[in-house]
């Protein structure tokens, strides 16, 4: 085919951001690799020896050179697990936020608004305060993973209750879930207050640091526990893109487009609950990632979830790896809780959007 019709067909549709989105995704992938390498190289003990990085990648341990052996151990057992954990959690929270905003058609939605984060936090707080008494059998059974298990279970239990409240006659009502999530979050906050009231000094200190969020306790065991859940959600989340794009038009329009709205709602809610519960279980409370990252990407690549979801995963991982690197080097040898940094960076950006965009839009 040639002539004006062929040239018209070859031209991209005006306003189509797909070409730009693909370029941005490629740049984000390269930026993630660079950020991860920079995080591996940087730390309280100074810059890593390039030879130590080579040995770590080769799975070898040096013989005789104690300084080089120290560098390899620091890289393999401390920095690398932190980088992987921060990347997984950042991607999880950002994708969960994007899914929630598309599902609720509300630009303020994030995993915390439906009570998942609050339920997970309550489960962890209960284990921290009562793990040596009422919940001692759980501590004995799960050992060092007891707090993570309680947080994950709390997030899933809250989600199950929320889904039960929001589902009537086989249909899940998003507005009901949104309001119920706010109510359940308030109840979880009240219960957390009671736990704080009865906690001793040690438990209060642990609650304070856990609530601010950190990946300082990242280990290979924790990655093997929470990582598969998060990775599975991240891999399957693009399957929700078509349904989320249709839901922006409304549930009736999405149904006319052939989307099984009820099934997609269930899948989205379960995915967010699993990813957020697993993330909060190993890192504590880290805020603003789920709100800021999707909005930042919408300004650049548009609202198409085919690109927004993978873009959110990449940018969320980049931001949290960078934040963790700053947290462990800014006041070395001490560490800042990573939740402080995400709030310091996220809150001003959120206010900037409010002041300059005259409201939010998902389309």
């Amino acid at each position: 085919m040639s002539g004006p019709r062929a040239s018209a067909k070859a031209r991209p549709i005006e306003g189509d951001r797909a070409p730009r989105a693909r370029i941005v995704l490629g740049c984000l992938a390269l930026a993630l690799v660079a950020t991860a390498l920079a995080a591996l190289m940087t730390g309280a003990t100074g810059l890593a020896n390039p030879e130590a990085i080579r040995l770590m990648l080769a799975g070898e341990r040096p013989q005789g050179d104690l300084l080089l052996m120290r560098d390899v151990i620091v890289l393999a057992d401390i920095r690398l697990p932190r980088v992987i954990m921060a990347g997984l959690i950042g991607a999880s929270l950002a994708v969960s936020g994007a899914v929630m905003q598309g599902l609720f058609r509300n630009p303020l939605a994030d995993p915390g608004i439906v009570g998942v984060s609050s339920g997970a936090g309550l489960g962890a707080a209960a284990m921290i305060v009562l793990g040596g008494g009422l919940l001692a059998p759980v501590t004995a059974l799960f050992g060092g993973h007891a707090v993570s298990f309680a947080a994950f279970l709390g997030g899933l239990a809250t989600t199950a209750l929320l889904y039960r409240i929001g589902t009537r006659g086989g249909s899940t009502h998003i507005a009901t879930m949104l309001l119920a999530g706010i109510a359940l979050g308030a109840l979880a906050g009240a219960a957390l207050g009671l736990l704080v009231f009865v906690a001793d000094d040690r438990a209060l200190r642990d609650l304070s640091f856990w609530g601010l969020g950190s990946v300082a306790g990242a280990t290979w065991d924790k990655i093997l526990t929470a990582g598969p859940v998060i990775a599975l959600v991240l891999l399957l989340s693009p399957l929700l893109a078509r349904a989320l794009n249709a839901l922006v038009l409304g549930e009736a329009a999405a149904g006319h487009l052939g989307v099984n709205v009820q099934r997609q709602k269930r899948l989205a809610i379960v995915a967010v609950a699993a990813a957020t519960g697993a993330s909060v279980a190993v890192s504590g409370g880290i805020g603003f990632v789920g709100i800021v990252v999707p909005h930042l990407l919408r300004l650049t690549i548009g609202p198409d979830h085919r690109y927004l979801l993978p873009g959110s995963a990449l940018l969320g991982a980049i931001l949290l790896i960078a934040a963790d690197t700053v947290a462990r080097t800014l006041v070395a040898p001490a560490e800042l809780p990573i939740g402080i940094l995400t709030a310091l960076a996220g809150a001003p950006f959120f206010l900037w959007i409010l002041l300059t965009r005259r409201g939010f839009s998902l389309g």
Side-chain angles (χ1 to χ4, degrees):
M1 184 182 293
S2 59
R5 178 177 295 181
S7 60
K9 189 174 181 179
R11 288 196 300 267
I13 299 173
E14 184 177 355
D16 182 15
R17 300 191 193 180
R20 179 194 295 181
R22 296 188 189 100
I23 294 173
V24 170
L25 290 181
C27 293
L28 287 175
L30 294 175
L32 177 57
V33 174
T35 305
L37 288 176
L40 281 175
M41 292 290 293
T42 309
T45 59
L47 295 177
N49 188 332
E51 178 65 13
I53 295 179
R54 188 193 68 78
L55 290 172
M56 180 195 70
L57 295 176
E60 301 176 6
R61 293 295 171 100
Q63 302 295 327
D65 191 334
L66 295 181
L67 288 178
L68 187 58
M69 183 179 295
R70 183 206 65 179
D71 286 347
V72 173
I73 292 173
V74 167
L75 282 172
D77 298 333
I78 299 177
R79 291 186 188 175
L80 184 58
R82 288 189 70 151
V83 169
I84 294 174
M85 182 70 77
L88 287 172
I89 293 170
S92 168
L93 295 177
V95 169
S96 296
V99 171
M100 284 284 96
Q101 289 164 19
L103 180 66
F104 285 92
R105 300 190 296 281
N106 186 326
L108 299 178
D110 78 333
I113 203 170
V114 294
V116 180
S117 298
S118 299
L122 179 59
M127 185 56 61
I128 290 172
V129 176
L130 305 175
L134 185 63
L135 299 179
V138 181
T139 303
L141 181 61
F142 291 96
H145 297 288
V147 173
S148 298
F149 172 76
F152 185 67
L153 190 62
L156 289 182
T158 304
T159 303
L161 180 58
L162 187 67
Y163 184 78
R164 180 78 175 181
I165 293 172
T167 302
R168 289 290 184 274
S171 177
T172 303
H173 302 280
I174 294 299
T176 303
M177 284 192 64
L178 187 62
L179 296 174
I182 295 172
L184 290 177
L187 285 174
L192 181 59
L194 289 175
L195 290 172
V196 170
F197 181 75
V198 302
D200 57 24
D201 290 341
R202 181 197 60 80
L204 282 174
R205 185 173 62 253
D206 291 344
L207 281 174
S208 297
F209 280 103
W210 195 91
L212 292 173
S214 175
V215 293
T219 62
W220 290 112
D221 284 343
K222 288 187 176 181
I223 291 175
L224 292 175
T225 301
V229 176
I230 297 173
L232 181 63
V233 172
L234 293 177
L235 290 173
L236 296 180
S237 62
L239 299 179
L240 297 169
R242 176 175 174 269
L244 292 173
N245 285 342
L247 282 171
V248 172
L249 304 174
E251 292 187 17
H256 289 306
L257 291 173
V259 175
N260 188 328
V261 175
Q262 184 61 22
R263 185 177 65 183
Q264 295 300 320
K265 286 182 188 176
R266 281 198 298 266
L267 290 175
I269 293 167
V270 170
V272 169
T276 305
S279 298
V280 174
V282 294
S283 69
I286 298 176
F288 282 99
V289 176
I291 290 181
V292 169
V293 169
H295 281 300
L296 187 60
L297 283 171
R298 286 191 186 95
L299 296 175
T300 308
I301 65 176
D304 190 341
H305 288 85
R306 293 177 301 167
Y307 306 108
L308 184 63
L309 293 177
S312 295
L314 292 170
L315 184 56
I318 291 169
L319 290 182
L320 213 61
I321 290 173
D324 180 58
T325 304
V326 174
R328 59 187 170 84
T329 57
L330 188 62
V331 292
E335 286 192 19
L336 282 174
I338 196 171
I340 293 177
L341 294 178
T342 57
L344 284 174
F349 176 79
F350 197 62
L351 290 174
W352 174 76
I353 293 178
L354 284 172
L355 294 174
T356 59
R357 301 263 305 165
R358 294 183 181 180
F360 297 95
S361 174
L362 294 179

